[in-house]
Amino acid sequence: MDRWGVARQTVQNAIDQLRTEGLVGSRPGRGWYVAERPAIRRLARNRLSKAERDAGRGAFLSDAAQGGWRPDVSVEVRRQPADDRIAGILDLAGDVAEVVVRAREMRADGRVVQLATSYFPAGIAAGTAIEQPDTGDGGVYERLEELGFRLTHFEEAVNARPARPEEASGLGIPAGYPVLAVTRVAWAGDRAVEVNDMVLAGDRYELVYTLPAD
Amino acid sequence: MDRWGVARQTVQNAIDQLRTEGLVGSRPGRGWYVAERPAIRRLARNRLSKAERDAGRGAFLSDAAQGGWRPDVSVEVRRQPADDRIAGILDLAGDVAEVVVRAREMRADGRVVQLATSYFPAGIAAGTAIEQPDTGDGGVYERLEELGFRLTHFEEAVNARPARPEEASGLGIPAGYPVLAVTRVAWAGDRAVEVNDMVLAGDRYELVYTLPAD
DNA sequence: CAGTGGTCTAGACCACAAA
DNA sequence: TTGTGGTCTAGACCACTGT
């Protein structure tokens, strides 16, 4: 205010802009400070290979072991009617198309860093280990293979969008701050067996994909 | 103001929040309106395969042909000393490590939708077609192959972050609005031959990766 | 010209933190 | 207690739009 000869609200608005750009943060009563660039976690996407899955632990847990932070996952499993989008991807017909839903919240040292919601056709997953909170070694993909669905490939669609208010409070970022939204579809031949919607705190993550040149 | 019994500034702040979340837009003198969800362009990433490259046109132009919009690319080529990050990735030694830079701005029907800046070691690209604005059929990757660099794979690192002010005005989005930042590294064996930094308007794009299951 | 969005000021109140 | 950040109000001016 002194330096530029402007009103308090004007400074406040300026700082609010910097906040939405992720450049400053503040704590009431303390002050405002230049934001620290959070450590970026690189998530290699070749972790979906069968060899890696056979190693046992899920991707999140091996990341934790490597990164030296304390992982913590809470799971909620339920059944519900599939909405249009999910029904479309999983190619479910009929008006009572039901899906098994696994909603997970992943925390690193107590902070929520990732939300993931998986959908499976109830015809495949109902009554199996997939409906258990703990799905055991290799996770749901191994369980799908045991059920006779030989996974052939995954498709991941990535986009960046502003965090919705619920997501923002969950992930501990300002509302509207960028998140990575990833939709993964697991395929067994030409049959889609899982849709996984993931939301990751934007610049705290980096997804790394390796693509063959030929 | 009438409905909630609040001051004008309060409404303004509320609307500003919605704007940063991409939900509303406004034009001075006209009013504010619910933002239309822009059509999402799906960018399949298998387009980097040799077979696709042999087809001739660059990825951006074939997207345009498929999507029915008018493509428009402006290119600026220059040489400059490599900064630490680029030198690190390209494994350039010495204090005079120079790179050839291709800075491109891609427009769809006149609107900037993507910014891309490529870096090549000057030792490889200087004096070649890579320094020409138009690199010819198959683009820079074909030129690299002709120079004896057999491309083996690409690595793409994706993250989401707030748009920097220059990027925001370039891409026609509010400052701080999410962008997808993709860094692609092209490898010929164990040698990195190109670094390409791309910035895409966040929720206008969806990057699709296909991953093998084994 | 009136109505709109955008921005600024000055003053006020609250919650929180540190001395 | 004092200083901080966060938020709100009331009033003002400007630029732009459409009648």
Side-chain angles (χ1 to χ4, degrees):
Chain A
M1 291 169 67
D2 285 350
R3 179 140 150 216
W4 299 97
V6 294
R8 202 154 110 70
Q9 188 66 53
T10 308
V11 176
Q12 189 79 354
N13 286 344
I15 291 182
D16 279 348
Q17 273 196 40
L18 293 177
R19 195 206 316 284
T20 69
E21 290 167 39
L23 300 176
V24 305
S26 61
R27 285 232 298 262
R30 293 278 293 262
W32 62 268
Y33 45 87
V34 176
E36 27 184 328
R37 290 250 156 256
I40 287 185
R41 306 184 200 288
R42 283 173 72 93
L43 295 191
R45 300 273 98 182
N46 48 359
R47 189 154 314 103
L48 295 170
S49 70
K50 183 147 174 43
E52 293 287 336
R53 293 205 309 278
D54 285 346
R57 321 187 266 195
F60 187 70
L61 297 182
S62 26
D63 274 337
Q66 220 169 6
W69 38 273
R70 186 173 48 81
D72 178 11
V73 182
S74 60
V75 190
E76 190 200 312
V77 185
R78 59 179 187 269
R79 282 189 216 173
Q80 67 186 38
D83 65 29
D84 287 352
R85 179 176 147 264
I86 299 296
I89 299 175
L90 292 177
D91 196 23
L92 300 177
D95 10 76
V96 285
E98 223 187 11
V99 283
V100 170
V101 181
R102 294 178 55 85
R104 303 190 296 301
E105 201 178 85
M106 280 91 142
R107 282 177 289 272
D109 292 331
R111 277 182 72 86
V112 179
V113 291
Q114 186 178 344
L115 309 171
T117 309
S118 288
Y119 303 86
F120 306 85
I124 290 178
T128 71
I130 293 174
E131 279 194 317
Q132 299 304 313
D134 184 350
T135 53
D137 273 4
V140 292
Y141 294 137
E142 279 306 304
R143 298 297 85 74
L144 284 168
E145 297 247 348
E146 288 164 8
L147 289 167
F149 297 96
R150 182 166 182 71
L151 301 181
T152 51
H153 62 288
F154 299 90
E155 206 175 72
E156 293 201 352
V158 184
N159 93 9
R161 57 169 178 75
R164 291 192 258 270
E166 330 80 86
E167 295 166 345
S169 63
L171 295 171
I173 53 180
Y177 196 79
V179 292
L180 277 169
V182 182
T183 299
R184 177 195 301 159
V185 180
W187 293 87
D190 55 2
R191 173 153 195 197
V193 293
E194 184 219 17
V195 177
N196 187 355
D197 283 325
M198 290 167 276
V199 178
L200 296 82
D203 57 4
R204 225 171 297 168
Y205 275 99
E206 191 171 59
L207 305 177
V208 181
Y209 295 90
T210 303
L211 313 162
D214 45 36
Chain B
M1 292 168 65
D2 285 350
R3 181 141 149 216
W4 298 97
V6 295
R8 203 153 109 69
Q9 188 66 53
T10 308
V11 176
Q12 189 78 354
N13 286 344
I15 290 182
D16 279 349
Q17 273 196 40
L18 293 177
R19 197 207 315 285
T20 69
E21 289 168 39
L23 300 175
V24 305
S26 61
R27 285 233 299 263
R30 293 276 294 262
W32 60 269
Y33 45 88
V34 176
E36 27 186 328
R37 289 251 155 255
I40 287 186
R41 305 186 202 289
R42 282 175 72 93
L43 295 191
R45 299 272 96 181
N46 49 358
R47 192 160 307 107
L48 294 170
S49 72
K50 182 145 175 47
E52 294 285 337
R53 292 206 309 275
D54 285 344
R57 321 189 265 196
F60 188 69
L61 298 181
S62 28
D63 273 337
Q66 220 170 4
W69 37 273
R70 184 172 49 80
D72 178 11
V73 182
S74 59
V75 189
E76 190 201 313
V77 186
R78 59 178 186 271
R79 281 188 216 174
Q80 67 185 39
D83 65 30
D84 287 351
R85 179 176 146 263
I86 299 296
I89 299 175
L90 292 177
D91 198 22
L92 301 177
D95 10 75
V96 286
E98 224 187 9
V99 282
V100 170
V101 181
R102 293 179 56 84
R104 305 189 296 301
E105 200 178 86
M106 280 90 140
R107 282 177 289 270
D109 293 330
R111 277 183 71 85
V112 179
V113 291
Q114 186 177 344
L115 308 171
T117 308
S118 288
Y119 304 86
F120 305 86
I124 291 179
T128 71
I130 293 174
E131 278 195 317
Q132 299 303 314
D134 184 349
T135 52
D137 273 3
V140 293
Y141 294 136
E142 278 307 303
R143 298 297 84 73
L144 283 168
E145 298 246 346
E146 288 163 9
L147 290 168
F149 297 95
R150 182 164 184 71
L151 300 181
T152 52
H153 63 287
F154 299 90
E155 206 175 75
E156 293 201 351
V158 184
N159 93 8
R161 57 170 176 75
R164 290 192 259 270
E166 332 81 84
E167 295 166 347
S169 64
L171 296 169
I173 53 179
Y177 196 77
V179 292
L180 276 169
V182 182
T183 299
R184 179 195 297 157
V185 179
W187 293 88
D190 55 1
R191 174 154 192 195
V193 292
E194 184 219 17
V195 178
N196 187 355
D197 282 324
M198 290 167 276
V199 178
L200 297 83
D203 57 5
R204 226 171 294 167
Y205 275 100
E206 190 170 60
L207 305 177
V208 181
Y209 296 90
T210 304
L211 313 161
D214 46 38

